[in-house]
Amino acid sequence: MNPAPQEPAASPNPFGTTMRIDLSPEKLEEMKRGKARPEGRRRTGPIITIPKAQAVPPAGGVDFQQLFQNIYDAAIITDLHGEIVRVNVRANQFFIAEPGQLMHDSILSLISGTDDSLLPTILETLKANRFVLIQAYCLRTDGTFFSAEISINRLRLGAKDHLSFFIRDVTLRKEQEDRLRTGHTALQNSGSGIAIIGLTGEIEYWNQAFLSFFALTAAQQVEGHDLREFLCEPEKADQVIATTASGATWSGELEMKRSDGSTFFGQVSVVANLNTDGEAVGMVLSVLDVTPQKLAQRQLQAYAAELNVTNARMQDDLNIASELHRAFLPSDFQVFPPGAPAEQVRLRLRNLYCPSGTIGGDFFDIRALSEDEVAVFISDVMGHGIRSSLVVATIRGLLEQLRPLACDPGALMTQLNATYATLFKQIGGDVIFSTALFAVIDTRTGLMRCANAGHPRPFVFRRSEERVEHLSFAGAGRAAALGIFPASQYATSEVQLSPNDLLLLYTDGLSEVENPAGDLYETRRLREALASLLQSPVAELLESLVADAKAFSGEENFEDDVCLVAIEVARLAPPA
């Protein structure tokens, strides 16, 4: 900030100079804060008592009196002792006085913060100065006060010396000065760098933060410099000026230069500086150093770009794993014997798989063991994602190795569990288990041999008898899931199937669907849906069952994988 203008040097002619006196009474400050309110006319100095004199005849002639009464400021004439001998109309208005009320009072009773030493000081000062100028508060007759500027000089009237006091009410100006001073202090103490700039880009004003941002000292003058000097891209200043000159606000981020050659990123806001006619005469620029935030943003962007590449690669891997997982599922095994004409089909098979994510953990397999027997395997691996996909792949490989045991489901499941538990024992501190069910259907006799490892029990639609049966297994029944107990033994159970029966295998992603109230689908709704679909074709039955489960949950997607396998007994093979 430029230093405040200094008082002009004393004139060689002492009568052409002005002496300034500022009065700041504590009593008035107390009044301003509302702690005290004057009652009647007061002053802070000693009371001066002046004997009332007889009325003084007008002096100076008619012209003087006419001029005196029409002066815009309050004009008061006193003798050299301060006794008021003349007042004009304006003075009566300023001090809320009746005509003649102020006559013969002491001028000191109208000026706050004065005492008997003021008049001698004024008289002594006027010997060397033409005028004395006082900044003070004046007290009205009703006890209120106003800020005043008082000009005093000697006046010769009627062969006697007098003092003339010209009093101007500067309350409004004082308030404006206080506001300007407060605003200037706020600008100088602001954390944002602030500068006032002309429409050509020259800098006219700055605050301390502006100097600090650009590594300037108070001794380094910014005034007269151009905004372009502080921009890494000077041409952007033209864009800022053009926008602001139109009356609009410009804001954005600019890379800026310091005086030492270093750079920083500034968040800049520029508004038009308008004159009283609303015309743009310059700009007010505010800048805040956002270099740390900018560098952090760049690091985040670089990290995000790297993360996007990594995520894209992971997604590609997930997509491949999902395709491999679906490749394990037999989609073309729909009749048995394979390729048999309709009148010779013994079994009709359909499946429906709804993974909850890119890669599911449910798996099923259907394969012919001989010309008369078909094996069906269904499992539900704990969890989802890559790990579950690897477990599914491992199970499928183990089934191929254990194919010689397929005719004995209990023996196959026992060996599968032992190998499975050994491979996945305590990986990552967790037990990775899977539920599973393995069944072999003999199409000559309709006998189904099966072993269950913690998997939901199948349903059998006895269509000829108009009922749905929830299977229960004899012997060992429903043993533990695969991978929990390596020494678990699994028994083989037998179920008799007849022509027109339909076997439904499913995973718990269907039975454990919840509605908004927290009720499970398997509690009542599942049996009702199965009963209503008793005579439906196989493909329609699966689609309708999935749609009903979604309607029950109120959601379009399942929270867990859902896998359905339906096997319909069309006929049994004739005896050999």
Side-chain angles (χ1 to χ4, degrees):
M1 179 68 189
N2 286 328
Q6 301 294 322
E7 289 291 339
S11 169
N13 178 8
F15 296 102
T17 61
T18 300
M19 179 65 181
R20 297 176 183 269
I21 299 175
D22 290 333
L23 301 176
S24 302
E26 294 180 359
K27 189 66 175 178
L28 258 292
E29 290 301 322
E30 199 172 74
M31 293 178 189
K32 290 176 67 178
R33 292 194 297 268
K35 296 180 179 178
R37 181 169 183 85
E39 296 180 0
R41 192 150 45 105
R42 295 182 179 179
R43 64 183 181 85
T44 59
I47 299 175
I48 300 173
T49 304
I50 299 177
K52 296 293 183 178
Q54 299 297 321
V56 179
V62 176
D63 291 341
F64 171 79
Q65 291 299 324
Q66 186 70 18
L67 175 63
F68 180 70
Q69 292 298 331
N70 286 280
I71 293 174
Y72 177 77
D73 293 330
I76 299 176
I77 297 175
T78 73
D79 61 18
L80 298 182
H81 300 291
E83 179 184 355
I84 299 173
V85 298
R86 296 284 187 275
V87 296
N88 68 350
V89 175
R90 193 69 163 163
N92 288 328
Q93 293 174 349
F94 273 26
F95 290 94
I96 314 178
E98 297 294 332
Q101 184 178 350
L102 300 179
M103 294 294 289
H104 307 299
D105 279 350
S106 171
I107 188 66
L108 299 180
S109 66
L110 304 180
I111 305 173
S112 175
T114 61
D115 56 30
D116 291 340
S117 65
L118 178 61
L119 282 173
T121 301
I122 292 173
L123 292 171
E124 186 63 29
T125 303
L126 288 174
K127 292 179 181 180
N129 298 273
R130 182 70 179 87
F131 299 95
V132 174
L133 190 64
I134 297 178
Q135 301 286 342
Y137 287 99
C138 288
L139 297 173
R140 300 185 182 96
T141 59
D142 64 353
T144 61
F145 60 89
F146 62 92
S147 181
E149 182 179 79
I150 307 172
S151 173
I152 310 168
N153 66 343
R154 293 177 74 104
L155 180 66
R156 188 78 173 173
L157 286 175
K160 290 184 179 180
D161 284 338
H162 294 75
L163 294 176
S164 64
F165 292 78
F166 291 91
I167 303 172
R168 175 166 294 178
D169 186 345
V170 293
T171 301
L172 181 60
R173 188 180 76 186
K174 188 73 166 56
E175 292 174 352
Q176 292 173 339
E177 289 174 351
D178 290 342
R179 284 196 292 267
L180 287 173
R181 188 178 299 106
T182 301
H184 177 264
T185 302
L187 287 177
Q188 286 299 321
N189 293 322
S190 172
S192 299
I194 298 174
I196 296 177
I197 303 172
L199 289 179
T200 59
E202 73 280 4
I203 299 176
E204 301 171 354
Y205 170 93
W206 60 93
N207 69 347
Q208 188 59 43
F210 189 89
L211 295 177
S212 176
F213 286 164
F214 292 96
L216 296 164
T217 64
Q220 293 173 293
Q221 293 296 313
V222 180
E223 185 176 10
H225 286 260
D226 196 286
L227 173 64
R228 296 170 180 82
E229 300 175 29
F230 300 100
L231 301 182
C232 293
E233 299 178 77
E235 64 276 6
K236 288 193 174 181
D238 297 327
Q239 177 187 350
V240 174
I241 293 172
T243 300
T244 311
S246 67
T249 298
W250 187 95
S251 62
E253 193 175 274
L254 296 174
E255 189 172 3
M256 313 190 86
K257 293 188 297 185
R258 298 187 178 93
S259 61
D260 59 6
S262 62
T263 63
F264 71 96
F265 291 96
Q267 183 62 43
V268 179
S269 178
V270 187
V271 297
N273 186 19
L274 306 177
N275 62 15
T276 55
D277 296 326
E279 300 170 340
V281 294
M283 304 174 291
V284 179
L285 178 144
S286 174
V287 58
L288 192 63
D289 187 352
V290 293
T291 303
Q293 296 91 321
K294 182 67 174 180
L295 295 178
Q297 182 185 26
R298 287 184 172 180
Q299 291 176 348
L300 286 175
Q301 289 174 344
Y303 175 74
E306 182 179 349
L307 190 62
N308 287 338
V309 173
T310 303
N311 287 342
R313 291 173 180 170
M314 291 181 63
Q315 188 60 47
D316 289 342
D317 292 343
L318 288 174
N319 292 338
I320 293 174
S322 177
E323 292 175 5
L324 289 174
H325 182 87
R326 288 185 176 276
F328 293 155
L329 306 179
S331 58
D332 57 347
F333 201 132
Q334 296 189 353
V335 296
F336 180 82
E343 64 275 9
Q344 297 180 12
V345 169
R346 304 178 193 176
L347 301 177
R348 298 187 184 92
L349 305 99
R350 293 289 186 277
N351 65 82
L352 187 60
Y353 181 45
C354 304
S356 60
T358 304
I359 303 177
D362 289 0
F363 169 69
F364 72 94
D365 186 45
I366 303 173
R367 62 185 60 202
L369 299 182
S370 66
E371 293 182 354
D372 299 307
E373 292 185 321
V374 174
V376 181
F377 179 84
I378 187 171
S379 72
D380 181 359
V381 179
M382 177 193 70
H384 310 276
I386 295 292
R387 184 174 69 171
S388 298
S389 179
L390 291 174
V391 174
V392 166
T394 301
I395 291 175
R396 189 176 190 279
L398 291 176
L399 287 176
E400 291 290 345
Q401 296 179 14
L402 299 175
R403 189 166 184 172
L405 299 177
C407 291
D408 187 347
L412 183 144
M413 292 288 276
T414 299
Q415 185 59 47
L416 177 62
N417 174 68
T419 307
Y420 178 100
T422 301
L423 289 175
F424 296 107
K425 182 179 181 180
Q426 298 295 325
I427 292 180
D430 296 324
V431 175
I432 302 176
F433 64 87
S434 303
T435 65
L437 186 146
F438 183 75
V440 177
I441 301 174
D442 189 336
T443 60
R444 293 173 301 172
T445 62
L447 185 66
M448 179 177 72
R449 305 184 303 278
C450 57
N452 187 10
H455 200 79
R457 293 178 294 148
F459 285 95
V460 176
F461 289 60
R462 305 291 188 181
R463 288 173 165 172
S464 300
E465 302 173 18
E466 293 287 336
R467 65 184 178 89
V468 178
E469 178 183 347
H470 202 187
L471 292 183
S472 57
F473 299 100
R478 179 171 151 176
L482 301 176
I484 297 179
F485 304 114
S488 289
Q489 298 291 315
Y490 296 88
T492 299
S493 299
E494 295 183 349
V495 177
Q496 183 63 48
L497 299 176
S498 303
N500 207 32
D501 284 351
L502 183 143
L503 176 70
L504 177 65
L505 309 177
Y506 62 95
T507 57
D508 62 9
L510 176 72
S511 58
E512 294 181 357
V513 166
E514 289 187 12
N515 65 8
D519 301 323
L520 292 179
Y521 187 62
E522 66 181 351
T523 303
R524 185 169 57 87
R525 181 70 171 264
L526 176 58
R527 286 181 175 273
E528 292 176 353
L530 295 178
S532 66
L533 298 170
L534 182 62
Q535 301 296 341
S536 299
V538 182
E540 180 182 328
L541 184 149
L542 299 184
E543 294 286 352
S544 299
L545 192 58
V546 167
D548 186 70
K550 290 181 177 180
F552 177 78
S553 68
E555 301 290 340
E556 181 59 31
N557 298 312
F558 293 110
E559 292 186 3
D560 194 8
D561 302 334
V562 173
C563 182
L564 304 174
V565 178
I567 304 172
E568 183 181 33
V569 181
R571 61 178 53 81
L572 298 179

